[in-house]
Amino acid sequence: IQELLRVMRTIDDRIVHELNTTIPTASFVGKVDPGQTCKELYESLMDAHTKRERIIKNCISQTSAVVKTLKEEREKAHEDAALLKQLRKEQTKV
């Protein structure tokens, strides 16, 4: 998931470059519609943010389910150190 999020952040990380290539210079103003290109950049950013948010929420949901299951197992086996370690790891991930 971390690698996927890193790739999805590319547009945010390169926003200055994206703006510089999206907004036309004085010599290109007549050839490119700045309003349309800015709108497309905005839509691209919003799409990337929506996808990232969905992935993050899905990860939290799945990890929370694992934590719940591990907590239930821990209630049955109080002395299991490996189970406690795994539970802590998953809680940290959330």
Side-chain angles (χ1 to χ4, degrees), residues 17-31:
H17 173 72
E18 292 292 331
L19 285 170
N20 287 339
T21 58
T22 300
I23 300 172
T25 59
S27 60
F28 287 100
V29 169
K31 299 176 184 173

Side-chain angles (χ1 to χ4, degrees), residues 21-57:
T21 58
T22 300
I23 300 172
T25 59
S27 60
F28 287 100
V29 169
K31 299 176 184 173
V32 177
D33 179 11
Q36 181 63 30
T37 54
C38 284
K39 180 181 176 186
E40 290 170 2
L41 177 59
Y42 173 78
E43 289 171 354
S44 173
L45 281 168
M46 295 313 298
D47 184 50
H49 288 182
T50 301
K51 287 178 182 176
R52 262 200 331 257
E53 183 177 0
R54 190 175 341 117
I55 289 171
I56 290 168
K57 285 182 178 182

Side-chain angles (χ1 to χ4, degrees), residues 1-7 55-56 58-60 62-63:
I1 288 179
Q2 289 178 350
E3 180 64 24
L4 180 60
L5 290 174
R6 186 188 65 75
V7 169
I55 289 171
I56 290 168
N58 187 25
C59 179
I60 290 170
Q62 289 178 2
T63 306

Side-chain angles (χ1 to χ4, degrees), residues 4 6 9-10 14 17-18 26 43 46 52 56 59 62 64 66 68-70 73 76 86 93:
L4 180 60
R6 186 188 65 75
R9 280 187 43 107
T10 302
R14 298 185 52 191
H17 173 72
E18 292 292 331
E43 289 171 354
M46 295 313 298
R52 262 200 331 257
I56 290 168
C59 179
Q62 289 178 2
S64 294
V66 170
K68 182 180 177 185
T69 303
L70 290 172
E73 289 178 21
K76 297 173 188 170
Q86 185 179 5
K93 196 185 302 183

